[in-house]
Amino acid sequence: MSRIKLLLLLILCSAALSAQEADDSPVIPSVSDTVTDYFTQQMSAFPQEKVYLQTDKNYYLSGEKIWFRAHLVDAVLHKQANASRYVYVELVSPFDSVVSRVKVRPDTLGLFYGSIAIDEGLVEGNFMLRAYTLYMKNSGEDYFYRKSLRIIDPMSVYFDINIDYTFNNDDILAAVRVKNKRTLTLFEPSEFKYKINRDSWRKADFDNDSIGHLKFKIRDRDKRRTLTLTFQYDNRVYTRYFAVPYPDDDFDVTFFPEGGHLIAGADNFVALKALGSNGLSEDVEVNVFDDSGTAILNSRTSINGMGAFQLTVQAGRKYYAECINSKNRTKRFDLPQAVNNYCGIKLKWAGDKLYASVVKSADYSRTGKLYMLAHIRGAVIYCQEWDSANDYVLFEKSMLPSGVCHFVLFDEAKNILGERLTFSYSPAEAGQIDFVADKDNYLKRQHVEAKIKLTDVNQTPLGGNLAIAVTDDNDVKPDSSYTILTALLLTSELKGHIENPAHYFRPGRSAQYISDLLMMTQGWRRYPIVDVVKGKITSPTLPLETTQTISGKVEGLFSALKEGFISIIAMNDSMIAPHVAQTGDKGRFVLDNIEYPEGTRFIVQAETKKGGTRVFLEMDKTEPFADITLQVPYKEAFEIDSMQNYIAKSEERYTSEHGMRIVNLAEVEVVAKYKPPESKSRFYSVISSSGGVITEKDIETRKIHDMRTLLMQIPGLMVSGSTLSVRGQGAPLIVIDDTPFEDYDVFSMPVEDVSDVFLIKDASAGAMFGTSGGNGALIISTKEGFDQTKVKRKSENISDFFVPLGYQQQVEFYSPRYDVDPDNRTPDLRTTIYWKPDVGVTETGEVSFDFFTADSETTYSVVIEGISEYGHIVRKVCKINRTLK
């Protein structure tokens, strides 16, 4: 029997037990049966989801598209999940602001996929790619999929930037060296500026050796430590984010006794985790002493800042450790206080056998019963009273489903005495892929026909779904550290960031040892086990999102409006769709069971039952997105030199398809008489106001007599009725005299009060004003300051036009067909050769796909990831040769 089927059987048996106990049976269930039933109730009351995001590449050039597939599965069996209707995918800046967000719905096979367009002017640096469902917010941001993603500016191939930091009390000094890669010499870039986090820009001082000197502080309250540099090179503007390190001599070490406690008079296995101030692992030497100063042992970390040692704890003694890091700094840390008259849990792997035992203190005198429980992802695989006549309970690895197994020791009162995690993985449990291409080698632009067969380890065909990415090995290196296997089986089950999780999937004793270190130093994070064991069942507070919803409340003159009439109009391009709803006793209304694509605009009107309009409409928030509090730790080092070919090829392809980049062209200096700024607004710049400024003089010259006529002359601003939009995406933020305003009717503003007006329609509006500036910002400066009495509120019973996030309409990845267009002479510069996110596999296990090779002589990596119909996780990287001339 496969372990996946075994896990399913255990869940069904637990459910059957729960059903039996619901009958009027006189049988009193045992403690073991009761606790097992509690786990079944918990899984039923709060089923959970996991999401893994597969992308076509691991890094991108600004202006490219991130193609992704969101593998949404249930958290226990890892089978395809479709309870949630939408998956949200976000690209997040180092400042925790969302650069881009898309909402994807399932296709006819129930698969979620889409793309994120990277703005061509996006700053170079490390961003975070995040994916979640709204239902996952019940468990917190820790459960979301998060991955660090590098966005590259093509200009980075021309120079190297090296920064050396010096820490002087609260001051941080940075020496910046910019080296020309062609001449291998340092140079002082023109218009060089820098800023810390969201502070103002400052100028740097360069010395005679062309070294720039920066001095700044980072406040304790600042969540992030980001340095932004910008300068001009070859008449273009280059900007990049850098992570400012912490003082590299600081670190922290935490000790984790097995089972959770140091037990007096017993031999204890103690794990440790050393982290630098940046949240990444630190290598340290460890010297343990007792409270008399006697040296007990010497040890050091083994991998990723983790290590372990055996410590026999003497009753009444305290222990501490002196730890020395790579910078030769020594810090003292106290070990946890030992406990008396106590017992804990101990696990030990010996080959493919796992021994679970109970360790007791020398003075242990308790007489009550003990119970040991083991579960995997909430499914109980073992729960029995502990027989003290036995030294251990034996578990064969062949009977443990792959993943994190959580052992719990508790007493008769269901108090937890000890917990221990262990990790087991068997490659035989994964889905097996047999990949065959129709040729051993290929010419350029030659047709490739490939076949896949999906089976289990016994060669039994499996149905399921897959996503396939084919990339050029000269340009893209597939990610072997963070995969669908590591995400679903490991990182989604543990707290905190895990460096290089693929380490723990390697065969052999060393992998088992380091996985044990990981299990002891990372916490379990699925269900609150302390509560579950005692029968306290947790339920979700947020429902599953199954539809798009528009809701709000209507007040009459003296109370909530009952039986009010709500008219809702949805508009997208030439499509206009009306909807109606009715208010309840408390004046609330909900319109659900609707679904519109992104860019759809809505307007809502409320009336009384008899058609009266003297009511007050209040709309609910339509953006229930998750807050951003967690980032992915990363190391600043990024080898641009190894990516020269990728950057050059991608930039050439971008230019051939879109033309020369214009967003980062430097301003050209014109020698002429001084001309004052066109706008009084502090948000004005030549770049931000690329559509131009309409000044007081323009208004007079063009004989503009009302705001509508004025607004219709602003490039990029669409005026339809009483609605403004930018690129049809939604209304811009109204900013008057540098102050953002909402819920005002700009059309009623006297045009004679306007000094100047311009539109910010690029990504800089979001950077200036946050999410409220996501659709751009209309900047108005007045002659004598803004007078609110001259601007009327819109009708209280009619909402502003609003654009809630709709679902992304699917776009197919373009892959040329040279059989249809054999005379195509355009250089084929693809780095992602082929992307197919929606490969459905029938019960025969067989599926085919085809594509054409590109021009470069190379090899291709074919990355296949997915899920079988039974929950087998699929991951395979195959190769195709494209070296024939």
Side-chain angles (χ1 to χ4, degrees):
M1 179 185 295
S2 76
R3 280 165 279 200
I4 291 179
K5 293 180 179 178
L6 173 62
L7 188 59
L8 179 58
L9 180 61
L10 289 167
I11 296 172
L12 294 175
C13 290
S14 297
L17 175 64
S18 179
Q20 290 174 9
E21 292 172 357
D23 297 336
D24 295 329
S25 172
V27 177
I28 300 176
S30 66
V31 172
S32 298
D33 289 343
T34 300
V35 172
T36 299
D37 181 43
Y38 289 157
F39 272 77
T40 303
Q41 292 179 40
Q42 179 62 76
M43 286 194 297
S44 177
F46 193 174
Q48 297 192 17
E49 300 170 320
K50 294 180 182 179
V51 64
Y52 164 73
L53 211 63
Q54 177 184 353
T55 55
D56 63 314
K57 293 180 291 199
N58 306 316
Y59 38 78
Y60 295 86
L61 215 62
S62 56
E64 289 190 308
K65 271 189 178 180
I66 302 170
W67 296 93
F68 65 82
R69 160 72 188 278
H71 297 271
L72 184 65
V73 300
D74 78 86
V76 180
L77 295 176
H78 294 152
K79 297 176 68 174
Q80 178 180 326
N82 286 103
S84 288
R85 177 67 176 168
Y86 306 108
V87 174
Y88 296 86
V89 181
E90 299 167 342
L91 185 64
V92 181
S93 80
F95 303 118
D96 298 339
S97 60
V98 175
V99 175
S100 182
R101 176 188 288 121
V102 296
K103 172 181 175 181
V104 291
R105 65 174 184 173
D107 67 2
T108 55
L109 296 176
L111 310 182
F112 298 85
Y113 50 90
S115 62
I116 290 180
I118 305 172
D119 190 273
E120 67 173 344
L122 192 62
V123 175
E124 178 173 329
N126 277 76
F127 291 73
M128 178 174 67
L129 196 61
R130 193 172 79 149
Y132 60 94
T133 65
L134 293 187
Y135 183 74
M136 291 171 68
K137 288 173 62 178
N138 286 297
S139 303
E141 191 181 358
D142 247 338
Y143 289 78
F144 298 175
Y145 174 85
R146 302 191 307 278
K147 178 182 179 179
S148 180
L149 194 72
R150 184 73 175 196
I151 306 299
I152 306 166
D153 187 313
M155 291 178 63
S156 59
V157 298
Y158 301 120
F159 40 76
D160 283 321
I161 301 177
N162 181 267
I163 306 177
D164 292 322
Y165 296 92
T166 303
F167 300 90
N168 183 15
N169 297 322
D170 293 336
D171 292 328
I172 301 176
L173 308 178
V176 180
R177 294 171 174 84
V178 184
K179 180 188 291 185
N180 187 310
K181 288 186 178 179
R182 288 176 287 191
T183 63
L184 300 180
T185 57
L186 297 181
F187 68 98
E188 178 182 344
S190 62
E191 299 298 323
F192 187 99
K193 291 181 290 185
Y194 72 96
K195 67 177 178 178
I196 299 300
N197 295 330
R198 296 184 181 276
D199 292 347
S200 301
W201 289 105
R202 314 177 200 177
K203 289 187 177 181
D205 296 322
F206 277 78
D207 59 25
N208 293 333
D209 295 323
S210 297
I211 299 176
H213 296 280
L214 286 54
K215 182 179 180 180
F216 52 87
K217 299 179 187 289
I218 295 182
R219 299 174 293 267
D220 292 338
R221 67 176 183 270
D222 291 339
K223 288 174 57 181
R224 304 297 174 221
R225 300 170 62 89
T226 302
L227 168 67
T228 308
L229 300 184
T230 185
F231 56 83
Q232 292 183 14
Y233 180 83
D234 196 21
N235 290 322
R236 299 175 72 180
V237 177
Y238 175 79
T239 309
R240 176 175 163 184
Y241 295 132
F242 293 84
V244 179
Y246 290 84
D248 58 6
D249 61 343
D250 197 14
F251 64 99
D252 184 71
V253 181
T254 308
F255 296 89
F256 302 88
E258 184 171 23
H261 300 278
L262 274 183
I263 298 178
D267 190 20
N268 292 262
F269 185 56
V270 182
L272 64 98
K273 178 75 172 182
L275 294 175
S277 300
N278 59 359
L280 298 174
S281 60
E282 183 90 3
D283 181 36
V284 299
E285 179 184 352
V286 181
N287 296 289
V288 178
F289 302 85
D290 65 16
D291 51 6
S292 69
T294 302
I296 304 299
L297 61 87
N298 171 268
S299 183
R300 72 174 310 113
T301 50
S302 303
I303 186 172
N304 292 340
M306 299 181 297
F309 52 83
Q310 295 287 148
L311 178 65
T312 301
V313 177
Q314 302 299 321
R317 287 289 190 190
K318 296 181 179 180
Y319 297 85
Y320 66 91
E322 291 185 352
C323 301
I324 308 170
N325 73 350
S326 57
K327 301 294 183 181
N328 209 34
R329 180 179 179 184
T330 301
K331 292 184 70 175
R332 172 173 166 161
F333 301 93
D334 290 331
L335 270 63
Q337 179 70 45
V339 292
N340 296 297
N341 195 23
Y342 204 79
C343 61
I345 193 167
K346 184 179 182 66
L347 299 182
K348 184 175 179 61
W349 282 96
D352 288 340
K353 299 180 186 299
L354 175 64
Y355 295 87
S357 58
V358 174
V359 58
K360 299 178 179 179
S361 62
D363 62 347
Y364 188 78
S365 60
R366 301 185 187 189
T367 58
K369 295 179 180 179
L370 300 175
Y371 298 85
M372 183 178 289
L373 174 144
H375 72 95
I376 292 183
R377 300 187 290 276
V380 176
I381 62 173
Y382 179 87
C383 188
Q384 295 292 330
E385 180 183 340
W386 178 257
D387 186 352
S388 58
N390 295 326
D391 293 331
Y392 55 82
V393 175
L394 176 63
F395 295 87
E396 296 284 350
K397 185 176 182 179
S398 60
M399 297 304 292
L400 292 176
S402 290
V404 176
C405 185
H406 187 189
F407 281 78
V408 181
L409 183 69
F410 59 94
D411 62 18
E412 286 180 297
K414 303 186 183 70
N415 297 308
I416 291 182
L417 304 176
E419 299 180 71
R420 173 74 149 82
L421 303 180
T422 190
F423 179 69
S424 175
Y425 172 64
S426 172
E429 195 176 330
Q432 311 297 307
I433 289 287
D434 183 27
F435 173 84
V436 178
D438 61 334
K439 293 180 177 60
D440 294 331
N441 208 339
Y442 293 88
L443 297 164
K444 72 175 184 178
R445 306 194 177 195
Q446 190 169 10
H447 190 214
V448 178
E449 294 184 277
K451 294 182 179 180
I452 291 174
K453 185 167 185 179
L454 175 61
T455 67
D456 65 13
V457 70
N458 298 316
Q459 295 299 303
T460 303
L462 296 172
N465 59 81
L466 309 169
I468 301 173
V470 182
T471 53
D472 187 326
D473 286 344
N474 284 343
D475 308 319
V476 179
K477 305 302 178 187
D479 191 343
S480 59
S481 294
Y482 298 89
T483 69
I484 191 170
L485 279 169
T486 65
L488 297 186
L489 292 179
L490 186 62
T491 58
S492 60
E493 299 293 326
L494 302 175
K495 289 182 179 178
H497 174 65
I498 299 174
E499 295 181 52
N500 195 9
H503 269 309
Y504 310 102
F505 287 76
R506 295 172 181 171
R509 295 177 59 185
S510 61
Q512 188 65 66
Y513 172 71
I514 63 172
S515 71
D516 254 3
L517 296 181
L518 180 71
M519 294 300 106
M520 291 180 64
T521 56
Q522 304 282 150
W524 170 260
R525 74 178 190 187
R526 278 286 155 191
Y527 297 111
I529 299 302
V530 173
D531 292 338
V532 177
V533 169
K534 292 189 174 184
K536 298 177 182 178
I537 307 303
T538 301
S539 298
T541 57
L542 297 173
L544 287 162
E545 186 184 23
T546 58
T547 177
Q548 189 174 7
T549 301
I550 294 174
S551 60
K553 183 179 180 180
V554 185
E555 295 281 348
L557 292 177
F558 304 105
S559 62
L561 181 66
K562 300 179 182 179
E563 298 183 352
F565 183 76
I566 308 298
S567 300
I568 303 170
I569 298 177
M571 292 171 282
N572 188 285
D573 295 330
S574 60
M575 181 274 295
I576 300 178
H579 298 275
V580 294
Q582 192 173 36
T583 60
D585 291 342
K586 296 182 179 181
R588 290 200 54 78
F589 67 90
V590 177
L591 176 66
D592 53 14
N593 296 318
I594 60 172
E595 191 170 56
Y596 285 97
E598 56 190 354
T600 302
R601 296 177 297 153
F602 292 84
I603 190 169
V604 179
Q605 178 175 343
E607 297 178 341
T608 66
K609 188 177 181 179
K610 295 183 179 181
T613 60
R614 296 187 66 186
V615 296
F616 303 92
L617 172 65
E618 181 180 348
M619 300 298 299
D620 290 340
K621 181 180 178 181
T622 58
E623 297 184 347
F625 310 122
D627 294 334
I628 302 170
T629 61
L630 300 176
Q631 282 276 2
V632 180
Y634 67 91
K635 295 181 179 178
E636 183 61 53
F638 190 77
E639 294 297 331
I640 290 291
D641 288 344
S642 63
M643 304 175 62
Q644 298 271 6
N645 189 68
Y646 164 73
I647 296 173
K649 183 191 288 187
S650 298
E651 176 66 357
E652 183 179 350
R653 184 185 183 198
Y654 181 91
T655 303
S656 67
E657 293 177 357
H658 304 284
M660 184 182 69
R661 297 173 186 262
I662 61 172
V663 295
N664 57 356
L665 290 179
E667 298 178 24
V668 178
E669 180 180 358
V670 178
V671 179
K673 291 183 178 180
Y674 169 74
K675 182 180 180 181
E678 294 187 78
S679 172
K680 296 195 299 184
S681 172
R682 65 188 177 92
F683 297 115
Y684 169 78
S685 74
V686 174
I687 295 176
S688 65
S689 58
S690 56
V693 178
I694 298 179
T695 64
E696 176 186 354
K697 183 177 180 181
D698 295 326
I699 295 173
E700 182 181 347
T701 302
R702 300 176 191 180
K703 298 183 173 12
I704 298 173
H705 301 295
D706 58 74
M707 284 298 294
R708 177 179 299 279
T709 304
L710 173 61
L711 297 173
M712 291 179 67
Q713 297 194 29
I714 299 176
L717 184 66
M718 298 176 61
V719 182
S720 176
S722 60
T723 304
L724 302 178
S725 64
V726 179
R727 302 190 187 97
Q729 295 298 308
L733 177 68
I734 304 298
V735 180
I736 302 178
D737 289 335
D738 293 342
T739 302
F741 286 88
E742 297 181 4
D743 198 29
Y744 281 102
D745 185 3
V746 71
F747 291 95
S748 65
M749 184 177 185
V751 72
E752 58 268 19
D753 281 354
V754 176
S755 171
D756 60 76
V757 58
F758 63 91
L759 178 68
I760 301 177
K761 57 187 176 181
D762 60 14
S764 58
M768 293 177 185
F769 305 106
T771 55
S772 59
N775 294 318
L778 181 64
I779 312 296
I780 301 174
S781 297
T782 67
K783 296 177 182 177
E784 300 177 355
F786 181 48
D787 183 356
Q788 292 193 31
T789 62
K790 293 184 178 181
V791 179
K792 301 176 183 178
R793 281 181 55 86
K794 296 185 178 180
S795 300
E796 299 285 0
N797 72 315
I798 302 176
S799 73
D800 291 330
F801 274 99
F802 59 97
V803 187
L805 184 64
Y807 66 85
Q808 184 180 62
Q809 295 177 293
Q810 293 166 352
V811 177
E812 187 174 355
F813 176 85
Y814 172 72
S815 185
R817 302 287 310 189
Y818 292 117
D819 52 348
V820 176
D821 187 14
D823 297 325
N824 188 336
R825 294 292 179 265
T826 303
D828 192 335
L829 302 169
R830 285 173 290 161
T831 55
T832 297
I833 307 300
Y834 178 77
W835 169 252
K836 183 71 172 172
D838 57 341
V839 180
V841 184
T842 65
E843 60 185 12
T844 65
E846 297 181 347
V847 68
S848 300
F849 65 96
D850 70 302
F851 60 91
F852 284 81
T853 60
D855 291 349
S856 302
E857 294 178 27
T858 181
T859 57
Y860 295 153
S861 286
V862 183
V863 180
I864 305 168
E865 293 188 318
I867 297 290
S868 84
E869 58 188 324
Y870 298 114
H872 298 82
I873 302 173
V874 180
R875 161 79 181 185
K876 182 80 178 276
V877 180
C878 311
K879 294 293 182 180
I880 290 176
N881 292 315
R882 216 309 281 152
T883 57
L884 294 180
K885 297 183 179 180

